[in-house]
Every structure is written in C-alpha cells, then in structure tokens.
Amino acid sequence: EGYPGAEGGDISIQGNLSVSVVNTSFKDSRATEGGVFYLDGAAVELSDVKATGASAARGPFLLGSEEGGEDVAMSFVTVEDCDCDSTLGATDESGALTLNLESNLAVNNSRFVDNTCPQGAMRIVGGNADVSSSFFSGNGNSDTASTGGALSLANAVCTLSDSVFRANTAGFGGAIFSGGTTTTVDVERSIFDANVALRGGGAVFAVLPSSVTFTDDTFESNTADYGDISASPPTRLEITFSGGEQKSGQLFTDTLYVTLKDAFDNTVVPEDGVDSEGFFVFASIKNEDALLGGPNIEGFVR
C-alpha cells in the first residue's frame, strides 16, 4: 500500500542509476508524489509491470524529474508490455504517468485504462515521448478545465503510432492536449474512437503555435461542444446579423452577433451554450430601443 507521505509509494530512485523492474505487480500503492514510482535522474526500464488502484497527488503510477531545481536531472523511462489501470491523481498537474524536465519516454505495447487524472494517462512536460502499439481507454475526468484524457503535452516532442484512443474524456482534448510554444505531435496509423471533450476538441485540442500532424489515422464518434475531431483556442471574430439587410444610412434595428472561430474554423461555444435564437454568442448588440428614443446601442451582453 506504499507510504502516503513519501515520494514513491513503492519505489523511489534518485541519482545516476539504471534500474529494471520486470514481471512485477503493484496494487493500491499510495504516496504524495509518485504513487508507485518516483524518479529523479534515473534510467528505468519497466517490462511486464502491472499497477492497479494507485493514488497520489501527482503521478499515481510514476512521477519523474520534478520541476524547478537546478540539481534535478532528467529521467529516461522505458515502458514495455505494461498495464496501468484505475489510478487516481488529485492535483491539476497530474497524469497517471508524469514526466518533467526534458525527460525521455518510450512506451510500447502497453495499456492505460480507467485512470482518473486532470491531465490524463500521461503528462509530458518539456521532454520527448515515443508511444507505439498501445491502448488508452476510459482515462481523464469530467472537469471542464481538464486537458487531454489520454495524453497532455507541454513543450514536448511526441510521436504516436499504431495506437488506439477510445472513450477518454477531458475538458479540452478528449484524447490529446497539445500545449506550449514548442510542442510537436506526429500521429500515424492510430484510431480515435468515442473520445469526449466537454469543451473543445473531441480527439485533439491544440494550443497554437504547437502543431499536430495526422497520417493515415481513423476518427470515429468523437464528440465535443465544438470541434468533434480537432479544435484550438479562438483565433478570429465573426460578425453576423439575425435579421434582414441593413442599408446605408438606415437606423440600425437588427441584432449584431459576435462569435469566435478557432484555427480549424469551428465556432467556439461558450459554456452557457446557445441563446434563445439558437446562436452561439459571445456578445450581442441590440438597437431596437433606438426607435423609441432610447440609446443608440442597447443591451451589450458579454
């Protein structure tokens, strides 16, 4: 059951060490940081490792290379033929597997299932990740501010291939959240099925200028408030009128609607949903009262 107040509920590896963990199971591990594994500068190979029911404030499966210290080295992590399921991460910065500070991660033929974390099954900050032939299902949570049900990236370089992302959930990016100015994600021959974003990007949410490239991928039944497949934060405004044509010199009596569009030309939906006339509106200007001698612009609503 680990040590609830410690770094690394079962295994803490610090320093320039190389460690292999093979054919080992962990159940209901607990810690403040790194429910099963805590790494600081180590090279770790995990093969045929199964972790079930682990919990931690951050990184209930693994937390590597903590942010912010000059003496903290990068970690090198290899995950092969592993299962991580039903873990619980409590803080906003937590993925089931969380790596920071230019760490390197290689994941192959592994399963991440039903992990409840604000930043998905894996959170990679400032590092490199290569994920192949792996399965992600039921990860994430239902907080509208959460990012990346399966994978959350910030200033990272990531290659995904021959993997399945199914029924993951987040506020932004049901399967993948790509953030930071230097993040690049290349996705090849992967399946995105039934992922849900409570706000934007049923499969992928990309914060510009990060970039996501798809090659020979399949998208089925992903859903979101806007951008069932992909979405971004707003990038431009679009102005429309609710009624007929307005002529030059004529008193404005219509309603002007201001909506937001993202980089994928989706209409960005406010959390309050549609207005009474069915518009996705961030602002409206009505001038009907001007006919009765009222102010020129009436009822600006944000």
Side-chain angles (χ1 to χ4, degrees):
E1 293 186 352
Y3 297 88
E7 294 176 338
D10 291 304
I11 297 178
S12 179
I13 307 169
Q14 302 188 38
N16 187 22
L17 300 173
S18 180
V19 178
S20 295
V21 182
V22 180
N23 191 24
T24 306
S25 296
F26 301 89
K27 184 178 180 181
D28 298 335
S29 305
R30 294 176 296 152
T32 303
E33 306 279 81
V36 180
F37 297 98
Y38 179 87
L39 313 179
D40 183 356
V44 177
E45 294 184 5
L46 307 180
S47 179
D48 193 20
V49 169
K50 295 177 174 57
T52 302
S55 61
R58 290 189 300 160
F61 176 51
L62 183 150
L63 177 65
S65 293
E66 181 64 291
E67 296 175 288
E70 295 181 358
D71 59 343
V72 178
M74 68 177 66
S75 296
F76 297 84
V77 181
T78 301
V79 179
E80 180 93 19
D81 300 321
C82 294
D83 289 342
C84 173
D85 68 84
S86 304
T87 69
L88 176 64
T91 69
D92 291 343
E93 299 177 352
S94 180
L97 185 157
T98 300
L99 285 179
N100 300 306
L101 280 181
E102 305 295 335
S103 294
N104 291 275
L105 171 68
V107 178
N108 181 57
N109 196 35
S110 295
R111 297 171 65 257
F112 290 80
V113 177
D114 295 336
N115 298 286
T116 303
C117 298
Q119 300 213 17
M122 296 195 303
R123 178 179 188 253
I124 313 298
V125 180
N128 298 279
D130 189 337
V131 180
S132 60
S133 303
S134 293
F135 182 76
F136 299 82
S137 178
N139 302 291
N141 70 15
S142 57
D143 187 341
T144 57
S146 63
T147 57
L151 183 60
S152 183
L153 304 166
N155 295 321
V157 177
C158 183
T159 301
L160 305 172
S161 61
D162 304 299
S163 296
V164 176
F165 299 85
R166 178 168 293 143
N168 302 285
T169 302
F172 296 89
I176 298 172
F177 178 88
S178 175
T181 59
T182 60
T183 297
T184 61
V185 186
D186 292 321
V187 188
E188 301 177 353
R189 303 178 302 278
S190 294
I191 297 172
F192 294 82
D193 176 36
N195 299 287
V196 176
L198 304 175
R199 298 291 292 115
V204 177
F205 191 90
V207 179
L208 304 179
S210 71
S211 66
V212 181
T213 303
F214 298 107
T215 305
D216 298 327
D217 299 296
T218 301
F219 298 89
E220 297 180 356
S221 304
N222 301 285
T223 59
D225 262 1
Y226 64 97
D228 288 344
I229 293 178
S230 54
S232 79
T235 58
R236 65 184 177 87
L237 294 174
E238 184 174 274
I239 299 175
T240 56
F241 298 96
S242 65
E245 180 181 356
Q246 293 292 138
K247 297 181 180 180
S248 176
Q250 183 182 32
L251 182 65
F252 178 68
T253 60
D254 206 342
T255 302
L256 179 150
Y257 293 99
V258 180
T259 60
L260 298 179
K261 293 285 188 176
D262 71 2
F264 302 93
D265 204 37
N266 300 305
T267 297
V268 180
V269 181
E271 290 194 60
D272 294 337
V274 301
D275 76 341
S276 59
E277 297 182 36
F279 285 86
F280 294 131
V281 180
F282 272 84
S284 64
I285 300 174
K286 298 183 178 181
N287 199 23
E288 297 169 352
D289 287 350
L291 293 175
L292 303 176
N296 289 332
I297 295 178
E298 176 72 19
F300 180 74
V301 181
R302 289 201 298 173

